[in-house]
Amino acid sequence: MDTVETRELRYFVAVAEELHFGRAAERLGMAQPPLSRAIRQLERRLGVTLLERDRRGVALTGAGEVLLSEGRAALDAVTAAVRRTRRAGGAGGPGGPRERLVLAVKAGASHELLHKLLDAYAAEPGAAEVEVLPSGTCEQGEMLRDGRADVALMHKPFNSLAGFDSEELATEGQIAILPAGHPLAAHRALSLADVTDIPDLPLARWARNGTYPPGPGPEIHDQTQLAQLIALGRTVAVFPESARAWLWAEHTAVPLTDARPVVTHIAWPAHSRSLALAKLVRTATRL
């Protein structure tokens, strides 16, 4: 069976994402001619055309779209294997360093649940060291796929659990986080319609799969930036109820009566065989 090297996949994914050989070569730190030759060699060996080339530019064929999707997943899997192997290699025998698990969490969400989980797991005999890695709204899945995280707290309907094993932990409502001095902050409850079209207070925008949705609201990169922009009266945000834990005095949280409940899951790669991870999941489900 023909094989494809990870180097070739990196080359192809760069060209497929840029749809321009020059930009892809610059991104890869190489000259354009050898990159073009490598892609043509890959096409000959696979027996398919991956890219349509003409004077107007480069476009993916149907086969190219498949390889882009599968190639990204394969590169993530290789990267994940390297990262998790290095973490496992840091754990020695008796008296040496403990095994380490990286737990990805949405910044500012599930604060009380996370605190309980970390305390309960730390009390377990032989518990691994847990590194908490805060992330954006929809980054946890990507972190699991590329190995930056071993396990994650994920929130439906915001996160997709496709491709992961998971256990449901908690369900909560949603709130609008507003500047304390805004007229809507005095309401006992609001609807989604009330907060999605405020002329002077646009909704904050988080990146999803590396792309920000359209809209007039500010692009949010981290929780601290969001908290400051809300306090300054520049934006409003919708969060799970548990986000009340990080609110400033300049913020007001108002329940949303028609927002879908948020269900928190603990999720991990379906192929994981880590005993430390299994113990962490068991601890979470007992909370």
Side-chain angles (χ1 to χ4, degrees):
M1 183 176 67
D2 290 334
T3 60
V4 175
E5 298 178 3
T6 55
R7 172 183 57 85
E8 293 175 305
L9 282 179
R10 282 196 295 271
Y11 288 177
F12 172 74
V13 168
V15 175
E17 289 180 344
E18 298 291 344
L19 292 178
H20 190 282
F21 277 91
R23 289 195 300 268
E26 184 177 356
R27 168 174 153 183
L28 293 164
M30 63 186 299
Q32 183 175 334
L35 175 60
S36 299
R37 287 195 298 270
I39 298 300
R40 291 195 181 279
Q41 289 170 2
L42 178 61
E43 289 177 315
R44 284 196 296 270
R45 197 160 71 256
L46 293 178
V48 297
T49 300
L50 300 171
L51 300 166
E52 297 287 357
R53 308 158 176 85
D54 59 31
R55 294 176 182 175
R56 291 172 296 180
V58 177
L60 286 169
T61 64
E65 290 177 354
V66 171
L67 186 58
L68 175 58
S69 175
E70 298 288 345
R72 283 169 170 161
L75 290 174
D76 280 346
V78 170
T79 302
V82 170
R83 286 171 168 160
R84 292 190 176 115
T85 298
R86 285 175 172 165
R87 281 201 291 275
R98 289 188 296 164
E99 184 175 352
R100 182 165 62 96
L101 294 173
V102 178
L103 170 62
V105 299
K106 177 182 173 181
S110 303
H111 178 79
E112 183 178 355
L113 175 63
L114 177 60
H115 200 285
K116 289 179 178 178
L117 172 58
L118 294 176
D119 285 349
Y121 181 66
E124 292 285 336
E129 176 187 353
V130 178
E131 177 186 342
V132 177
L133 185 61
S135 65
T137 301
C138 298
E139 292 180 337
Q140 299 97 311
E142 182 180 344
M143 290 176 169
L144 288 181
R145 281 187 286 270
D146 68 15
R148 282 176 289 168
D150 302 297
V151 60
L153 293 185
M154 299 174 71
H155 310 275
K156 294 188 71 175
F158 304 112
N159 299 123
S160 171
L161 299 173
F164 304 120
D165 285 341
S166 65
E167 290 284 349
E168 183 177 322
L169 301 182
T171 301
E172 60 185 317
Q174 296 194 62
I175 55 175
I177 304 177
L178 300 137
H182 194 276
L184 288 179
H187 288 231
R188 295 175 63 88
L190 295 168
S191 68
L192 283 170
D194 291 331
V195 299
T196 54
D197 192 24
I198 308 173
D200 60 336
L201 205 64
L203 271 172
R205 293 181 294 140
W206 291 90
R208 293 176 181 266
N209 300 317
T211 303
Y212 286 92
E219 296 181 354
I220 302 302
H221 307 289
D222 56 55
Q223 181 189 333
T224 301
Q225 176 205 15
L226 174 64
Q228 186 168 27
L229 288 175
I230 295 174
L232 291 171
R234 301 300 178 91
T235 191
V236 59
V238 174
F239 263 79
E241 181 80 25
S242 55
R244 290 180 183 272
W246 59 263
L247 297 189
W248 297 1
E250 295 91 344
H251 302 153
T252 295
V254 181
L256 292 170
T257 56
D258 58 348
R260 293 175 60 183
V262 176
V263 183
T264 300
H265 292 74
I266 186 167
W268 63 96
H271 62 269
S272 176
R273 297 295 181 269
S274 167
L275 295 179
L277 173 56
K279 182 181 291 187
L280 178 65
V281 172
R282 286 196 300 271
T283 301
T285 58
R286 291 197 299 262
L287 294 177

